Amino acid sequence: MTEHTQKLIVVTGASTGLGASTARELARRGFHVLAGVRRDSDADAVRSTGVEPVILDITRPEQVEALAARVADDPRELHALVNNAGIQVNGPVEALPMSQWRWVFEVNLFGHVAVTRALLPALLRSRGRVINISSIGGRVAMATYGAYAGAKFALEAVSDSLRREVAPLGVQVVVVEPGGVRTEMATRGIATANELAALMTPEQDERYGDLVRATNALMASGTASGLTADAAALVVAKAATTRRPRTRYTVGRDAALIIRLARMLSDRTLDRIVTANLRRHYPRATTA
């Protein structure tokens, strides 16, 4: 505990789920955690010993600047930034409105870049690290996951580029890739996908309706059988505290298996496996 008592860690998206669990776990290990939340009610829920909530919407420049000022004014060094905030919005490429595409990238990519840029001066001074919470969707893109996976693929690329830029300066960059985790984000993602599916044209519904319903059923099944947020947070904490962290950590056996298959198999073979797995979730006998 005493080793980390005088160090800060910032965790974005800490209102619930993986972010809240990570904030609590890092505080338990002796860090002072600045936990980014969007509402005062969320702040009251997450506040605890070692966890200080800060109002932070990563898409609002003034709040990102306020966070950077809070860190700069603190005499404790910044040990790590955990970029965890995110949303899940799924839909077929043809049917998902462009406004949703832009919003997914704004939250899941550009917001992380904004926070990272704002805190890099402090991390460079402390020779700290950046932990980017990606997803198995950042390595394999399932049907209807175009926007979400696209942003996560991009986050993985930015992480690689940043790692190569700042490694000579003493800053480490780590990517964490969760599979199924039992969080509110997954539940909200399914609800959002259903709402967006209801807006499809009749022609789009005929083409993609069963696919969307099957994908949602598969997501619900994977989430229900996934790790708890507390178990997943242990992996994030390991990435934040291990002296020589790996560049990537998977979270859950499903994530490790899918990444292994993606490395071993051709695209077409992986397509057949994914399709076969999805087929049993279709609401009727069609496999369109």
Side-chain angles (χ1 to χ4, degrees):
M1 293 283 286
T2 55
E3 178 185 356
H4 305 311
T5 300
Q6 300 305 315
K7 295 182 179 180
L8 297 176
I9 289 186
V10 170
V11 180
T12 69
S15 299
T16 60
L18 180 56
S21 292
T22 296
R24 289 192 295 266
E25 177 60 26
L26 291 169
R28 188 187 68 78
R29 299 187 184 205
F31 292 98
H32 185 83
V33 180
L34 300 179
V37 300
R38 295 180 61 198
R39 294 175 290 270
D40 290 335
S41 57
D42 296 329
D44 293 336
V46 78
R47 183 181 287 108
S48 60
T49 302
V51 178
E52 176 190 338
V54 292
I55 299 299
L56 177 65
D57 180 336
I58 64 172
T59 68
R60 296 183 61 176
E62 71 278 10
Q63 293 186 5
V64 174
E65 292 169 6
L67 171 65
R70 167 68 183 82
V71 170
D73 290 341
D74 198 298
R76 294 166 290 199
E77 69 177 27
L78 180 62
H79 174 76
L81 162 64
V82 180
N83 282 314
N84 171 74
I87 56 172
Q88 185 159 353
V89 177
N90 290 5
V93 171
E94 179 188 354
L96 190 66
M98 285 307 303
S99 60
Q100 292 294 326
W101 280 88
R102 293 187 176 96
W103 183 236
V104 170
F105 273 74
E106 189 66 37
V107 176
N108 290 357
L109 178 64
F110 300 133
H112 297 319
V113 172
V115 175
T116 301
R117 293 179 72 247
L119 296 186
L120 260 179
L123 291 168
L124 288 165
R125 287 193 297 270
S126 66
R127 299 174 72 88
R129 65 188 63 176
V130 177
I131 314 293
N132 285 331
I133 308 301
S134 179
S135 165
I136 185 58
R139 302 289 289 276
V140 177
M142 308 289 286
T144 78
Y145 278 69
Y148 179 79
K152 292 297 187 181
F153 266 72
L155 182 62
E156 299 251 357
V158 170
S159 300
D160 286 342
S161 182
L162 178 64
R163 185 181 70 249
R164 290 160 184 152
E165 292 167 4
V166 298
L169 306 175
V171 175
Q172 297 168 312
V173 179
V174 182
V175 175
V176 177
E177 299 163 333
V181 179
R182 301 200 294 270
T183 66
E184 291 183 14
M185 189 181 85
T187 303
R188 289 194 297 266
I190 293 171
T192 299
N194 286 329
E195 292 170 4
L196 292 170
L199 301 176
M200 292 192 299
T201 67
E203 293 80 8
Q204 290 170 344
D205 185 68
E206 183 177 357
R207 287 193 284 271
Y208 308 116
D210 284 350
L211 172 63
V212 170
R213 287 181 277 275
T215 303
N216 285 346
L218 178 60
M219 189 194 315
S221 174
T223 299
S225 62
L227 294 177
T228 65
D230 286 347
L234 295 177
V235 181
V236 182
K238 180 179 180 180
T241 58
T242 298
R243 189 173 299 277
R244 291 180 60 85
R246 302 200 303 264
T247 58
R248 282 176 169 79
Y249 290 84
T250 56
V251 179
R253 286 181 293 181
D254 55 340
L257 175 62
I258 291 173
I259 288 177
R260 191 174 301 117
L261 290 174
R263 288 172 177 164
M264 295 169 52
L265 304 176
S266 69
D267 289 345
R268 298 297 185 192
T269 301
L270 187 59
D271 286 352
R272 287 193 292 271
I273 292 173
V274 168
T275 300
N277 186 46
L278 186 61
R279 186 177 295 121
R280 58 195 176 93
H281 293 280
Y282 269 76
R284 56 177 186 265
T286 139
T287 58

